[in-house]
Amino acid sequence: MDKSSALEYINQMFPTEASLTGVEPLMQKIHNEIRRVDTEILAAVRQQSNSGTKAKEDLAAATCAVEELMYKIREIKTKAEQSETMVQEICRDIKKLDFAKKHITTTITALHRLTMLVSAVEQLQVMASKRQYKEAAAQLEAVNQLCSHFEAYRDIPKITELREKFKNIKQILKSHVFSDFSSLGTGKETEETNLLQHLSDACLVVDALEPSVREELVNNFCSRELTSYEQIFEGAELAKLDKTERRYAWIKRRIRTNEEIWKIFPLPWHVPYRLCIQFCKKTRKQLEEILNNMKEKPDVGTLLLALQRTLEFEDELAEKFGGGAQGKETGNDIEEIGRGETGQNVSDIRKKYEKKLAAHQENGSEEKKGNKELSAPGAGFNFRGIVSSCFEPHLTVYIELEEKTLMENLEKLVQEETWDIEEGSQNNVLSSSMQLFLIIKRSLKRCSALTKNQTLFNLFKVFQRILKAYATKLFARLPKGGTGIVAAATGMDGQIKTSDRDERVICYIVNSAEYCHKTAGELAESISKIIEPNFADTVDMSEVQDEFSAVITKSLVTLVHGLETKFDAEMAAMTRVPWATLENVGDQSEYVNGINMILTSSIPVLGGLLSPLYFQFFLDKLASSLGPRFYANIFKCKQISETGAQQMLLDTQAVKTILLEIPTLGRQTSGAASYSKFVSREMSKAEALLKVILSPIDSVADTYRALLPEGTPMEFQRILELKGLKKADQQTILDDFNKHGPGITQPSITPQMVAVAQPAPSHAIASLMPSSASIGLIASREDVLTRAAALGRGAATTGFKRFLALTEAAKDRKDGPFRKLFNP
């Protein structure tokens, strides 16, 4: 403890004066503790002193023990050296005797083997001269083994002499065997009963000789067997394409006839296999010469028959020598073309993939089995295409015939097409579309069974041309002409008059073009799977699919044009209504009922036939055509009074309601929200135009700029004419309009706002106002919009007069909200 800590401790022990009485006991206790500690220290010092003495004694004893151990180790080492010297002296003579024994044993063994080699060579020479092939084969094996023992002594003259003698004997055996085999196939085997056994023994000799001897013998035998084949089929009579099948019949007959005779050859030699390879190479060479020397194009039937027989022969050879057949997956891929997913239930899809899995497992097991069988011919030679590939450059005539046939079938399908759908059909696709792809599938099957190279790719090009021709046929079947805004934008002239049947036919064409678009992609995918890999990347149907997409677009636009033409009578009826002399506002006009009747009769049929995607496209085109046309048709009226404008506004809202109900009418509401916004935007322009016509003369220019900010002076002048103003009165208003400009630069009411039948929300108005706008101005603007919307709902004349009084009172104020709203 430091000084301060000691003081704190004492103060803690004796906090009061009364506690000082305990000082004496505490001191006594501390003295006792001191004495106890001193005693313990003294005992520890004594113990340590005794321990130091004992440690020194133990260290001295250990040192003596180590010295004694080192002495004993040196003594043992000395004795071991003496023992080793003694053993070496004893074994010196024994080691010399051991080496001598080993050399003598080696010499005796070598001499014994040399004797055996000399004797074996002499015996082999006798066997070779007597053509004792069976014994000579065994003797050859023995001599070969004995010769391997003398590889290290090949420089010794005697050994060299024996090796040369053995080499000469093998040459003699080779010449004897080749000479005997030359009689095979000449008929001697039937006369001499032992000849086949004799040649079978000769095969044992060939196996004992070098592998090159066996190769040479088999090649000579195959060449000799095929000599007659070359002589027969190189003649003028049989060197023709239509005699190709007889070539394969000849080799099959030859193998079948000589099967028993050829059993003399060991199985590992694979003589029939080697014979077939040479036959295929010679046949290919001869067929190439025949095809190249033809002065005219070959007959397609003869060419395809020869190719078919060649492919069948190659398949037979591949199954016999090279494993399982190909083409199972090819057929499955082609069958999937055009099926699609339409109308398939869960069980159909499950069966389809279970079938694919079973086929894959079957192919895997066949491949494993084939690999086991192939391990014997060690060849892995691919017979497929070895002969048939020579036909590839000459199959142009076949492709021309296929194209001609496909084109004739296309013309026949289009001529027989009823342009109607059978009852109970689910996909609403023309039968000619499905029949065309069935014909294409059959053509693809025929070609893929013959070749999968350049010819198949050329046929794919034919498919492209056929499908493009069919797209042109569909395009030509559409009704001709056109009218209206959409027609003018597409550069079409005349009118399209479509009956109810025409509309159904157009829908069938749309569905058929969509089916062809999808199936053409599946066709390209299937071809890319079965064609050779170097052509797979060039298989593309995008151009054909673009053609059918163009047919779909043109069909839908034609459908809109047809409806436009039906609206012509109603649009004309609208202009013939005496809008200037109407006395009161009643129900919607007759032309509106006509528009409703046209749509009610057509839309349900179209909605039931078209897919949601194309029905939505049709609706967008219809709205983009009918909305602007209705707007332009208002200007074609002669004069419109206040009552007439209110009646026309009521009709406009009725037309808008009819258009908004089209998705429900067609039973397709997937894209109804975006379509409704589009219709509301287009029809709001006509509503805004009628509200301008309803506005008073003094404020018509301001109202026009507010509701139609994109308007033109010519359009504004036509509005004045519709209101019935004279030329002199129009000029003053036009001058004022041109002075202020056609549009409003200050934030103003947009047409979309005015088109809403309800008062615009205050936050929407506030977002368009400058940041310094007052709350009173916002409220006043909402009041103006409310009254303008009341006009759109067909307000009574008294309500309209109140609105005019409000605007007139506001105009007299220099800084009123109405003035700020309309003036720049």
Side-chain angles (χ1 to χ4, degrees), residues 52 71 75 81 165 239 321 347 354 360 384 593 689 752:
Y71 173 76
E75 186 177 359
E81 291 175 352
K165 188 175 182 180
F321 300 114
S347 61
E354 286 176 353
H360 178 72
R384 291 187 177 87
N593 294 332
L689 174 60
Q752 289 83 346

Side-chain angles (χ1 to χ4, degrees), residues 504-697:
R504 290 197 304 273
V505 170
I506 293 173
C507 292
Y508 297 150
I509 290 176
V510 171
N511 294 334
S512 301
E514 182 184 12
Y515 169 79
C516 293
H517 182 284
K518 178 182 177 182
T519 311
E522 295 175 356
L523 175 64
E525 184 179 352
S526 297
I527 293 176
S528 63
K529 288 181 180 178
I530 63 179
I531 202 169
E532 290 297 325
N534 55 320
F535 291 102
D537 294 336
T538 56
V539 176
D540 184 18
M541 277 286 188
S542 57
E543 292 183 5
V544 174
Q545 291 177 318
D546 291 343
E547 292 281 341
F548 286 110
S549 297
V551 172
I552 293 172
T553 304
K554 177 64 168 57
S555 302
L556 294 174
V557 172
T558 303
L559 208 55
V560 175
H561 293 166
L563 282 178
E564 275 189 332
T565 304
K566 290 184 178 181
F567 292 144
D568 285 347
E570 311 306 327
M571 294 292 106
M574 175 182 173
T575 59
R576 290 194 297 267
V577 175
W579 301 107
T581 59
L582 284 181
E583 296 179 356
N584 51 30
V585 179
D587 292 335
Q588 61 189 32
S589 303
E590 284 300 320
Y591 74 91
V592 177
N593 294 332
I595 292 174
N596 186 30
M597 188 178 300
I598 293 171
L599 293 175
T600 303
S601 62
S602 297
I603 294 302
V605 177
L606 302 180
L609 294 178
L610 293 176
S611 64
L613 175 65
Y614 296 126
F615 185 70
Q616 181 64 37
F617 179 84
F618 162 74
L619 292 183
D620 293 341
K621 289 289 184 183
L622 181 62
S624 64
S625 170
L626 189 55
R629 187 179 183 190
F630 190 87
Y631 178 85
N633 208 57
I634 296 175
F635 288 100
K636 295 180 180 180
C637 299
K638 294 181 180 180
Q639 187 177 341
I640 304 174
S641 65
E642 178 182 327
T643 304
Q646 290 184 2
Q647 178 64 48
M648 192 178 292
L649 191 58
L650 178 66
D651 294 342
T652 303
Q653 291 178 342
V655 172
K656 177 181 175 181
T657 303
I658 292 170
L659 292 177
L660 290 175
E661 290 177 353
I662 286 180
T664 305
L665 198 60
R667 297 185 297 277
Q668 294 193 23
T669 58
S670 57
S674 61
Y675 168 75
S676 299
K677 292 180 181 179
F678 189 68
V679 170
S680 299
R681 185 175 73 248
E682 292 297 328
M683 295 303 295
S684 66
K685 297 177 183 179
E687 293 176 345
L689 174 60
L690 293 171
K691 291 173 186 178
V692 172
I693 296 173
L694 278 171
S695 63
I697 300 299

Side-chain angles (χ1 to χ4, degrees), residues 229-247 282-283 285-295 302 306:
Y229 167 75
E230 292 178 330
Q231 294 172 352
I232 294 172
F233 288 95
E234 281 182 353
E237 182 180 352
L238 296 180
K240 297 179 181 178
L241 197 60
D242 56 353
K243 307 297 182 183
T244 304
E245 186 176 3
R246 298 183 62 177
R247 296 173 177 269
K282 291 181 182 294
T283 302
K285 183 179 179 182
Q286 291 184 357
L287 289 177
E288 281 181 342
E289 292 176 356
I290 293 172
L291 290 169
N292 292 330
N293 294 333
M294 295 182 73
K295 297 179 180 180
T302 304

